Amino acid sequence: MNIAIVGYNLGWVLTFESGFMLLPALVGLIYGEKEGWPYLIVGIAGLLIGLLFVRKKPKNKQFYTKEGFATVGLAWILMSIIGAIPLCVSKDIPNYIDALFETASGLSTTGASILRDVEAISHVGLFWRSFTHFIGGMGIFVFLLAIMPMVGGLNMHLLRAESPGPVVGKLVPKMKDSSQILYLIYIFLTVLEFILLWIFGMNPFEALCTSIATAGTGGFGIYGDSIGGFNTALKWIVAIFMILFGINFNAYFLLLARKFKDIFKIDEIKVYLSMILISVVAITINIFKMYEHFGDALTDAFFQVASLVTSTGFATTDFNQWPTFSKTVLILIMICGACAGSTGGGIKVSRFIIMFKAIIQEINLFIHPRSVKSVEMDGKAVDKTVVRSVCVYFLLFGVIYFVSVFLISFNKFDMVTTFTSVLATINNMGPGLEMVGPAGSFADFNWFSKLVFIFDMLAGRLELYPILLLILPAMWKKH
């Protein structure tokens, strides 16, 4: 392990996160809130410490997969630890473990909260919670690669460790150019949503916090009823943009390149959109008798499907009160999640496609033992190593999930709360059912359970491996 290169890159992470803290300090200045001072102080201190780490480039610039995974795993832990300090010092969230939970939830774009009354905290705290979604949605290293070449040269290792999905590739030959394209698309969609939300009735602060939380598919709302208090037009705008941010960003690159036919050849997008359509129709039929107007039922069904399939976690209603069938559909799409290469969470649609096709292939081998067929996606054969990694991912996900459920069960809460709280955190969803439903929170869990949830949220956002590998002694041996 090249410790020097890891420390150097972590220094840049600390520098930029500290720089981002000047934004909530500015919000404090605008609204005349003293809660902005801790962000300014921590931001300046972090900038000074970060610049000390990066003042001199390491002589040994070797940077391989091991360094990439270690850098990404440690970076997200570091960002959570530092980002929680001003939340705690400002007294918006006085307990540090709770502040750490909230920050990790924000950065991992989970949206699970320990706050019972979100409207009681300052504008500064509300903005920082939402902005952590924006930082974590695309990933801090995608941002860093977009503006500067990271030392070590092999930037693909960083992108592979941080980006969601079974396969990570470049949009264009140069990694820096790929990162810039991704961030330009990300920012453009965010600005577009902000403008539309402002036009259709939100004030600038509401529109800003909602659009950056949507962009990261995080779901921290600034009101107790999340999006429920806004008009129907705003609900549809937010729902549509949640779906757009859940689509593989490669599709937008193809759109820019005017390769329209290639977009419709992407299996994952076809399955993703079909899953949304079927879920909306099924839930609307199941719940419309609970509403006076069919349009309201359709709006809530569409919004909640869009929110949970993309792991955003916004809510327009307490779906905990819906029939069991509708809640089951929501749980299933929560598990599946959005597309790879998007800001959405979940296991990812592409993994389910690969797994399903691999199962069909194995069944066919029993009937035709001599047949030679490969798993295909988008008309191309999927490498066997990718199929194997998907199978291992499902197994590892199951192990972490059930171990976490076992540890959380010591709280002695009901089974639905226990199972869905873990599912909501490891899949970066936010709300679950019962106590952790859209009208509830994670406040009643003990400190140990919150640490388990923090681990699950970060592991889920980073596709498990970067966090898990940190505990292996072999990771820290020299080359």
Side-chain angles (χ1 to χ4, degrees):
M1 174 65 70
N2 187 348
I3 301 295
I5 197 71
V6 172
Y8 180 83
N9 286 329
L10 289 178
W12 279 117
V13 170
L14 178 58
T15 300
F16 278 96
E17 185 188 19
S18 301
F20 290 144
M21 286 187 182
L22 300 181
L23 294 175
L26 178 62
V27 172
L29 180 64
I30 293 171
Y31 284 93
E33 295 176 339
K34 65 181 186 303
E35 287 84 357
W37 284 105
Y39 292 88
L40 180 62
I41 295 169
V42 173
I44 292 173
L47 279 170
L48 294 175
I49 296 171
L51 290 173
L52 284 175
F53 274 87
V54 301
R55 73 186 190 283
K56 187 178 180 181
K57 295 181 180 180
K59 294 180 180 179
N60 182 2
K61 297 181 181 180
Q62 288 185 330
F63 196 84
Y64 300 110
T65 301
K66 187 161 63 172
E67 283 80 9
F69 277 69
T71 301
V72 169
L74 290 172
W76 282 70
I77 293 172
L78 176 65
M79 287 193 298
S80 299
I81 292 171
I82 301 300
I85 294 173
L87 264 179
C88 181
V89 174
S90 67
K91 302 299 181 182
D92 273 333
I93 304 179
N95 182 286
Y96 182 75
I97 295 296
D98 286 347
L100 181 61
F101 179 98
E102 203 78 7
T103 307
S105 179
L107 289 169
S108 64
T109 70
T110 302
S113 180
I114 50 81
L115 294 174
R116 300 181 192 274
D117 182 10
V118 66
E119 296 175 39
I121 72 172
S122 64
H123 287 85
V124 175
L126 290 173
F127 173 79
W128 179 242
R129 289 168 78 244
S130 297
F131 192 69
T132 55
H133 286 329
F134 191 75
I135 297 171
M138 187 60 67
I140 187 66
F141 284 104
V142 177
F143 173 76
L144 290 177
L145 293 174
I147 62 174
M148 57 179 285
M150 299 298 285
V151 170
L154 299 177
N155 297 329
M156 193 65 186
H157 297 310
L158 288 172
L159 193 65
R160 185 180 293 115
E162 190 175 56
S163 299
V167 181
V168 177
K170 303 177 183 178
L171 299 180
V172 291
K174 289 186 178 181
M175 182 60 68
K176 184 176 181 179
D177 293 339
S178 293
S179 300
Q180 288 174 344
I181 291 170
L182 286 172
Y183 248 95
L184 285 173
I185 295 170
Y186 189 51
I187 293 171
F188 172 77
L189 289 174
T190 306
V191 172
L192 180 60
E193 183 185 2
F194 169 79
I195 293 171
L196 291 174
L197 292 177
W198 193 1
I199 290 173
F200 281 87
M202 287 189 181
N203 65 46
F205 183 77
E206 292 169 339
L208 177 60
C209 290
T210 303
S211 57
I212 58 180
T214 305
T217 60
F220 275 150
I222 60 175
Y223 296 114
D225 61 356
S226 190
I227 307 297
F230 294 107
N231 63 49
T232 302
L234 291 172
K235 293 175 184 177
W236 278 87
I237 291 170
V238 174
I240 290 169
F241 273 92
M242 286 191 289
I243 292 172
L244 292 177
F245 280 109
I247 290 177
N248 192 320
F249 274 46
N250 286 350
Y252 298 122
F253 177 73
L254 293 173
L255 190 64
L256 291 172
R258 298 183 180 182
K259 297 180 179 179
F260 305 114
K261 292 182 179 179
D262 292 341
I263 297 175
F264 295 101
K265 293 178 182 178
I266 302 176
D267 293 339
E268 186 178 32
I269 293 178
K270 289 186 287 187
V271 173
Y272 170 70
L273 295 177
S274 299
M275 181 172 62
I276 290 172
L277 177 62
I278 293 169
S279 299
V280 170
V281 171
I283 291 177
T284 302
I285 293 172
N286 188 234
I287 68 170
F288 81 94
K289 291 183 179 179
M290 300 172 62
Y291 291 78
E292 291 184 11
H293 303 288
F294 179 82
D296 293 336
L298 177 61
T299 297
D300 281 351
F302 179 66
F303 190 96
Q304 294 312 146
V305 168
S307 179
L308 295 184
V309 76
T310 59
S311 82
T312 308
F314 280 137
T316 55
T317 186
D318 184 4
F319 56 79
N320 209 25
Q321 306 303 318
W322 283 359
T324 301
F325 173 80
S326 294
K327 290 190 287 187
T328 302
V329 173
L330 292 178
I331 290 294
L332 292 175
I333 62 174
M334 281 171 62
I335 296 171
C336 186
C339 298
S342 71
T343 63
I347 293 176
K348 303 294 181 299
V349 174
S350 57
R351 283 198 178 94
F352 276 95
I353 295 174
I354 293 172
M355 178 61 76
F356 178 76
K357 290 186 175 183
I359 291 171
I360 297 298
Q361 183 188 48
E362 287 299 314
I363 293 173
N364 286 332
L365 284 174
F366 281 104
I367 304 172
H368 308 288
R370 296 184 180 180
S371 66
V372 181
K373 290 185 178 181
S374 59
V375 174
E376 293 186 353
M377 273 193 70
D378 308 333
K380 301 176 183 178
V382 178
D383 192 278
K384 289 183 179 180
T385 57
V386 174
V387 177
R388 179 179 58 82
S389 68
V390 167
C391 295
V392 173
Y393 184 91
F394 272 95
L395 179 62
L396 188 57
F397 183 93
V399 170
I400 296 174
Y401 176 77
F402 285 111
V403 170
S404 297
V405 167
F406 173 75
L407 295 174
I408 300 302
S409 67
F410 287 101
N411 284 273
K412 298 181 181 179
F413 296 144
D414 65 274
M415 190 72 75
V416 175
T417 295
T418 301
F419 273 77
T420 60
S421 63
V422 176
L423 182 63
T425 49
I426 194 172
N427 254 13
N428 304 132
M429 294 297 162
L433 297 174
E434 299 299 341
M435 288 176 58
V436 293
S441 76
F442 287 72
D444 292 326
F445 288 91
N446 60 36
W447 66 269
F448 176 76
S449 295
K450 289 171 183 173
L451 291 178
V452 173
F453 288 138
I454 290 169
F455 173 86
D456 287 344
M457 289 188 288
L458 293 178
R461 170 58 182 84
L462 298 179
E463 306 281 287
L464 308 182
Y465 295 106
I467 296 296
L468 288 177
L469 291 175
L470 292 178
I471 64 177
L472 296 180
M475 273 287 288
W476 304 102
K477 293 181 180 179
K478 292 184 177 181
H479 293 297

